[in-house]
Amino acid sequence: MSVLVFVEGFNGEIKKSSLEAATYGYQVAQQLGTSATAVAIGEVHEEALAKLGEQGISKVLYDADSRLNNFVADAYVKVIAKAAQQENAKVLVFSNSNIGAAVGAKLAVRLNGSLATNVTTLPKTDGGFIVTRSVFSGKAFAEVNLTSDVKIIAVKKNALEIANAGSGPATVEKFSADLTDADFAAAPKETIMQDTSGGVLLTEAEIVVSGGRGLKGPENWHLVEDLAKALGAATACSKPVADLDWRPHHEHVGQTGIAVSPNLYIAIGISGAIQHLAGVNSSKVIVVINKDPEAPFFKAADYGIVGDAFDVVPKLIEAARGLDK
């Protein structure tokens, strides 16, 4: 029996959230006295797969079928299910991404397994297999006992540090689920937006710089972009900004948009409606810049600057650029 970790790639590299999932999978394997194997799908550099050994992964099953470069849920499920069967994996671990959530739910049905999403802790194995989930947009936690023979866990992004297990390179093995055209034609291709705002994948970003209507118009968006570039951050926006067509909807973060969990979230000219907070409250540090001292966002902020964004942000850009000198 082993633990199987599904890792996602982007531009040939392993996503940060999948490295977190690999760390989690290895630690669960240590608890259970077994090994952790990964399965990778699509276009990923084999060098990146081998480096998963740093997170304790001993072996990677790699299906390089080019048809898998675009996400198709049923085909992905077939690959992962076959890998789980081959490895006799009873614990499957994913990142709680859009892809992970879609695949995890289908696998739970296919394998008759128990599924827990948004998991933040390692399982308690005394008297069961109990994990803690973040629920109600991060406002509460719930403990759930996974009672099925197969246990499927989607790890919340940024919930744990990426650990270096000090192991050598993982063994990368070619793997095939013998997919047919029917596996791709049975259902329409599900499109998962891989946004690279600011040159950084938004859902994987360590730092996010976000703007709201306080910027007064799209012609002032260079303030967000310049600060993001200086910090190596992704850019995002509030829902009203996307609704006004100042920015594309795939940059909208919030309850009805993308949920992010960066180490640092900088909100410029965003009042902080509860729907927006629901999508960003997992950020480790929140900085709010707003000229209205009564803006609700200040109540959720770790640091706040009361001031006009057109005065404050240029000074932050200058300071951030100075960090590299």
Side-chain angles (χ1 to χ4, degrees):
M1 182 185 75
S2 70
V3 174
L4 183 69
V5 181
F6 166 55
V7 295
E8 299 175 37
F10 180 72
N11 285 344
E13 301 297 329
I14 304 298
K15 291 182 179 180
K16 173 180 177 288
S17 57
S18 285
L19 295 178
E20 294 169 359
T23 296
Y24 185 97
Y26 170 70
Q27 292 175 352
V28 172
Q30 290 292 101
Q31 282 185 307
L32 301 177
T34 186
S35 60
T37 298
V39 56
I41 295 172
E43 191 174 2
V44 188
H45 299 320
E46 291 197 25
E47 295 84 355
L49 296 175
K51 287 182 66 177
L52 285 168
E54 296 177 2
Q55 280 70 57
I57 300 297
S58 59
K59 179 172 65 176
V60 181
L61 304 176
Y62 178 36
D63 193 329
D65 189 329
S66 61
R67 294 174 297 176
L68 294 166
N69 291 345
N70 294 318
F71 174 63
V72 181
D74 288 343
Y76 273 47
V77 166
K78 185 174 180 179
V79 174
I80 299 168
K82 184 173 180 179
Q85 181 182 21
Q86 175 179 301
E87 299 300 310
N88 191 27
K90 299 301 182 183
V91 179
L92 282 66
V93 180
F94 310 107
S95 164
N96 196 66
S97 62
N98 290 336
I99 291 176
V103 168
K106 288 176 176 286
L107 274 171
V109 174
R110 185 176 183 127
L111 302 177
N112 194 28
S114 299
L115 171 65
T117 59
N118 257 355
V119 172
T120 60
T121 65
L122 290 170
K124 300 174 184 176
T125 55
D126 294 336
F129 196 95
I130 301 169
V131 295
T132 301
R133 299 180 56 232
S134 174
V135 296
F136 300 120
S137 299
K139 292 183 173 61
F141 294 94
E143 286 193 340
V144 294
N145 188 14
L146 305 183
T147 58
S148 298
D149 186 40
V150 176
K151 304 164 197 331
I152 303 172
I153 298 170
V155 181
K156 184 178 180 181
K157 295 179 182 179
N158 223 13
L160 72 161
E161 298 292 332
I162 298 170
N164 191 328
S167 303
T171 301
V172 181
E173 296 182 3
K174 298 295 184 183
F175 179 76
S176 175
D178 299 321
L179 299 172
T180 66
D181 289 341
D183 294 313
F184 297 88
K189 291 181 179 180
E190 292 83 352
T191 301
I192 300 297
M193 186 66 69
Q194 301 276 37
D195 174 44
T196 55
S197 302
V200 180
L201 191 63
L202 177 56
T203 54
E204 300 291 309
E206 298 273 1
I207 305 173
V208 175
V209 179
S210 188
R213 282 184 295 180
L215 288 172
K216 299 182 179 179
E219 67 276 7
N220 297 316
W221 208 257
H222 64 90
L223 292 173
V224 171
E225 293 172 332
D226 289 349
L227 182 56
K229 184 177 180 181
L231 294 173
T235 62
C237 68
S238 63
K239 185 177 185 297
V241 165
D243 289 342
L244 289 167
D245 289 328
W246 293 3
R247 299 301 297 170
H249 275 280
H250 63 249
E251 290 188 16
H252 157 216
V253 296
Q255 189 171 39
T256 57
I258 295 172
V260 294
S261 305
N263 289 328
L264 174 61
Y265 183 81
I266 302 174
I268 304 170
I270 301 175
S271 62
I274 190 169
Q275 292 85 354
H276 186 80
L277 288 172
V280 305
N281 61 7
S282 293
S283 306
K284 290 189 176 179
V285 176
I286 295 176
V287 176
V288 173
I289 302 168
N290 202 300
K291 67 180 181 180
D292 179 8
E294 301 300 320
F297 218 154
F298 282 121
K299 295 179 181 179
D302 297 285
Y303 301 95
I305 301 174
V306 179
D308 192 318
F310 298 98
D311 295 327
V312 174
V313 177
K315 295 176 181 177
L316 288 178
I317 294 169
E318 182 180 0
R321 287 172 175 166
L323 293 175
D324 292 330
K325 296 180 179 179

